[in-house]
Amino acid sequence: MSARTLWRKGRALWPFGGSFTLLWLGQFLSQVGDQFLFIAGLSLLNRLTDSRAAFGGLALAITVPQILFGLWGGVFVDRWPRRFVLIGSDIARALIVLGALTVRTNADLWRMYPLASALAIAGLFFYPARNAVLPALVSPAHLLQANAVLQASYILALIVGGISAGFFVDRFGPHAAFVLDSLTFLISALSLACIRLPPAVNRPQPALQNSPGRDLLEGLRFVWEQRALRRVTAITPFATVGIGTVQVLGLAFLAEVLNVRAGGFGWTMAMMGVGLALGLGGMPLLGRWLPPHRAVGLALAAAGLATVLFSQAQTFAFILIAALAMGLCVVIARAGLATLMQQLTPDGLRGRVDSLINLSVNGALALAQGSAGLFGQLWGPRPVLLGAGLLMIAVGGLAILGMRGLVREPEARVQL
């Protein structure tokens, strides 16, 4: 195979320019660093206290600010220069993480909670800004594929960072992991500083005539008045139900049904990452034949079926196959939903709409994980996993029927 042929095939798999590549690279490194932070934080809590309530309190410290302030990040993303929002969010998170270095004893433990909340709030600015500028960084023909890359990078970082962070924290301790995470945010900020954005995209509303509250209401009103966007907002949270349930109950299910320990659960999550990579590779073919709303419905239904099969598995090999299928389908569904949001929303409102969708996703994920833990305790993991899969199948069917005619197929189809 000639070098020209290899280059052509490489361009087909990564048909993006330098600005998107810098955005993806910085985000991926910081997401890997987040796994170091997560495992280091849990390790530090485990060293300083044996209270399970401390772990629950940390989850609340992360979740509550996202629910209370989730909509406001998008408001300011649509008012401030977006590149500066991205860079400022990364620098703020780099400094906040360093605050964890002051937690040394049980008496210092309370500092973890405001630090976790501050990190969550900074992220509320970064992700709406990232999604708002994405259509300016790639061509319309490659928007679906770009969203798939961003969706896949999170889970891949979860796997790569999770595996390496455990060894790193054991070898060097949690405080070294905090420093490493801070460095990844600074590297991401440097990458973002090199991105080029058109002035109209960088700051879509230079004349700030409305109050932030009115801007927020304007975004909510826009979503409510657009029937297609309203349904995208309602469907998006369900893409996380299966994975959220598996994250909470997967290890207990494997131990209870198949006598598989934590190492087997790690392999299960790794296979989910392989599925994400396959979904990313198959995105160009899917985009040629299906508009995003049909791809979303089919992918959600297939992810639900994979969750059902996971719940009924009798062998570990079957578990791995089901996990691979879940990862493949979820990345397609999430990428398709993000693409629909971007296509249905004007640039000046995109930050607010994305914040609303992120709020619904975070709330649904927290609800799914909390419900899975509660009902798993009452009924066992298998029925709960089965119920989550059936719910996703039903939502996938509703997505296909409910979006039909609301998004015109010639405009929705993404030629890759």
Side-chain angles (χ1 to χ4, degrees):
M1 187 178 297
S2 66
R4 180 174 296 180
T5 302
L6 287 173
W7 172 257
R8 190 180 301 115
K9 290 188 175 182
R11 289 291 298 171
L13 290 175
W14 192 270
F16 312 117
S19 289
F20 175 83
T21 302
L22 288 169
L23 173 68
W24 176 85
L25 179 62
Q27 175 192 268
F28 178 72
L29 288 175
S30 64
Q31 286 173 336
V32 170
D34 284 344
Q35 302 313 307
F36 280 75
L37 174 66
F38 176 70
I39 292 178
L42 292 181
S43 175
L44 188 60
L45 281 175
N46 192 54
R47 292 183 186 184
L48 298 180
T49 178
D50 57 359
S51 170
R52 301 301 97 182
F55 293 87
L58 190 62
L60 285 175
I62 295 171
T63 303
V64 170
Q66 293 176 333
I67 295 174
L68 294 178
F69 306 112
L71 296 176
W72 292 100
V75 170
F76 291 101
V77 164
D78 289 338
R79 296 167 67 89
W80 295 340
R82 287 169 173 168
R83 192 160 70 99
F84 294 159
V85 171
L86 290 167
I87 296 170
S89 176
D90 272 342
I91 293 176
R93 288 185 289 181
L95 296 175
I96 292 167
V97 168
L98 292 179
L101 296 176
T102 66
V103 181
R104 298 281 178 175
T105 67
N106 185 271
D108 303 326
L109 196 58
W110 65 270
R111 298 175 188 169
M112 294 288 289
Y113 303 107
L115 289 171
S117 295
L119 275 174
I121 291 172
L124 295 177
F125 291 87
F126 181 88
Y127 291 104
R130 181 204 68 180
N131 292 337
V133 304
L134 184 60
L137 301 181
V138 299
S139 68
H142 298 126
L143 184 58
L144 179 62
Q145 192 175 358
N147 277 298
V149 169
L150 293 178
Q151 295 295 334
S153 70
Y154 170 74
I155 303 296
L156 292 174
L158 184 68
I159 296 168
V160 173
I163 294 173
S164 56
F167 291 107
F168 187 91
V169 172
D170 286 341
R171 179 69 177 84
F172 300 106
H175 292 90
F178 295 147
V179 174
L180 181 61
D181 185 39
S182 179
L183 289 175
T184 63
F185 281 125
L186 292 177
I187 293 172
S188 178
L190 289 174
S191 298
L192 293 168
C194 301
I195 288 177
R196 297 178 181 178
L197 284 177
V201 174
N202 188 44
R203 189 167 186 170
Q205 295 184 9
L208 305 179
Q209 299 176 350
N210 296 334
S211 66
R214 179 170 292 185
D215 279 350
L216 174 60
L217 292 176
E218 182 184 7
L220 295 175
R221 189 184 307 114
F222 177 80
V223 173
W224 180 253
E225 291 174 351
Q226 303 296 318
R227 193 156 51 138
L229 189 57
R230 194 164 67 237
R231 294 190 180 181
V232 169
T233 306
I235 290 168
T236 299
F238 290 95
T240 63
V241 167
I243 286 182
T245 306
V246 169
Q247 286 175 333
V248 173
L249 296 178
L251 182 57
F253 175 74
L254 291 175
E256 177 183 312
V257 176
L258 300 176
N259 198 29
V260 174
R261 297 185 178 181
F265 183 64
W267 278 105
T268 302
M269 298 305 294
M271 286 300 291
M272 197 175 290
V274 173
L276 288 163
L278 293 176
L280 173 61
M283 195 67 67
L285 179 62
L286 187 66
R288 291 191 183 98
W289 298 102
L290 290 175
H293 66 283
R294 286 189 181 176
V296 164
L298 290 173
L300 278 174
L305 178 60
T307 307
V308 169
L309 295 176
F310 187 100
S311 73
Q312 302 304 306
Q314 300 297 325
T315 66
F316 185 56
F318 200 84
I319 286 285
L320 295 179
I321 294 172
L324 184 147
M326 287 176 63
L328 187 152
C329 297
V330 166
V331 73
I332 293 173
R334 290 295 303 270
L337 287 162
T339 301
L340 282 172
M341 184 280 290
Q342 291 158 351
Q343 291 174 335
L344 293 168
T345 307
D347 180 73
L349 289 163
R350 202 169 284 144
R352 282 163 281 179
V353 172
D354 188 76
S355 286
L356 175 61
I357 291 177
N358 282 338
L359 175 63
S360 68
V361 169
N362 290 329
L365 183 59
L367 180 62
Q369 292 178 333
S371 301
L374 173 62
F375 294 124
Q377 182 69 30
L378 295 174
W379 303 330
R382 190 189 292 273
V384 180
L385 287 164
L386 175 62
L390 294 175
L391 176 62
M392 292 183 70
I393 292 173
V395 173
L398 291 174
I400 295 173
L401 297 175
M403 295 297 294
R404 185 172 58 188
L406 293 180
V407 181
R408 288 181 292 173
E409 293 190 12
E411 293 180 2
R413 183 174 288 109
V414 179
Q415 299 291 340
L416 298 176

